[in-house]
Each structure stands twice: as structure tokens, then as C-alpha cells.
Amino acid sequence: MSTSADPPGDNDQATPEDGGPASFAETTRNWYEKHKPKIRAVGAVGLAVVIGVAVVIANLPDGEDNEVIEDSEPASALETIDEPRRSPSAYDVDGFLRKLPEGQRASEAKQARYQEEMGEELPPGYTFVDPWSFSGDSAEQDGEPDQSAA
């Protein structure tokens, strides 16, 4: 027979040698011996978690370091520019081949233009995109919009 202090399922180990009910201390000791590896594993994991939390807390910055400083300098030179954003500088784009959707072919004018520019025939399934230039900010600096792109 087990007492109310006996853990369930351990009645066979809780009986003392004289046949009477085992004490709470003896029952607990027997239970601990039976489950010692599991208890130590859980304890080690718990200790590791506590240490990990302590390390994280120790590495948190102090509250004083997190204050917003009103009179600080801008983070980059871009924040100090009051002028409107400008287009990039002028550049040239060379002619190039563009793959056409299946079933389409380049016009005769594009085939002739590619022959003239490259000295060879246009490959099947491609068209030739003519070279072009971007003038950049030069026209905008005079106060006139760039008309060459239209």
C-alpha cells in the first residue's frame, strides 16, 4: 500500500525492509535515483537557458545610450542637399540585339541597319535596337527641358 506522498508507479521501491510504509524522504530518494539522468539533463538545459538569458541581458545597451540627440549632424551628405534631384550625366548606348517573341521576325529595315552597323546578317529571331544617347542634365541647366528624348 502506498502513502499519499508516494509518487505514482513507484510503490514497489517505496517499501522499507520491515514491511511498513516508506518515509517521504526515502520515497523521494528512490525516485531521484531512478530518474537521475533525466533530472540532470533537465537541470543542465535549465542552467544553460538561465546563463543565455543573463548574457543577453548583460549585453543590452544602457538606457542612457539610447537617447535621441536633437542637435546631431545628418547621417549622410545626401540629407544636407536642398537642391532638387538631377538626372544622371550624359551617356551613349550602343546598338544591341533583342530577342523577339516566337513567330516574329525583324523588319527588312532593321536587317539592313544591322548589316550596315555590324557587317553581318541579323540572326533569326532577333531584331536590332539602334544606338542612342542620353543628354543628361545639360539641357535642364539652361532652364529648358530636354526635347531629344521625345
Side-chain angles (χ1 to χ4, degrees), residues 70-137:
E70 298 289 330
D71 298 330
S72 66
E73 294 182 22
S76 70
L78 292 176
E79 294 179 16
T80 62
I81 297 176
D82 291 331
E83 299 174 14
R85 188 170 183 177
R86 296 185 182 262
S87 298
S89 303
Y91 60 90
D92 294 325
V93 177
D94 294 331
F96 60 93
L97 291 177
R98 176 175 290 149
K99 185 161 180 60
L100 294 171
E102 192 173 324
Q104 292 188 3
R105 48 185 291 246
S107 67
E108 290 182 19
K110 289 295 183 175
Q111 292 176 7
R113 176 75 177 177
Y114 185 76
Q115 178 75 35
E116 179 184 311
E117 290 280 326
M118 301 300 186
E120 58 187 48
E121 287 189 26
L122 188 63
Y126 288 87
T127 189
F128 181 66
V129 178
D130 292 322
W132 56 280
S133 296
F134 179 74
S135 62
D137 290 333

Side-chain angles (χ1 to χ4, degrees), residues 12-40:
D12 56 315
Q13 295 179 2
T15 307
E17 295 173 10
D18 62 357
S23 69
F24 177 76
E26 189 174 340
T27 303
T28 304
R29 187 177 314 112
N30 290 340
W31 182 85
Y32 173 76
E33 289 299 323
K34 181 179 179 183
H35 300 288
K36 187 186 289 188
K38 293 177 190 174
I39 293 170
R40 287 186 175 177

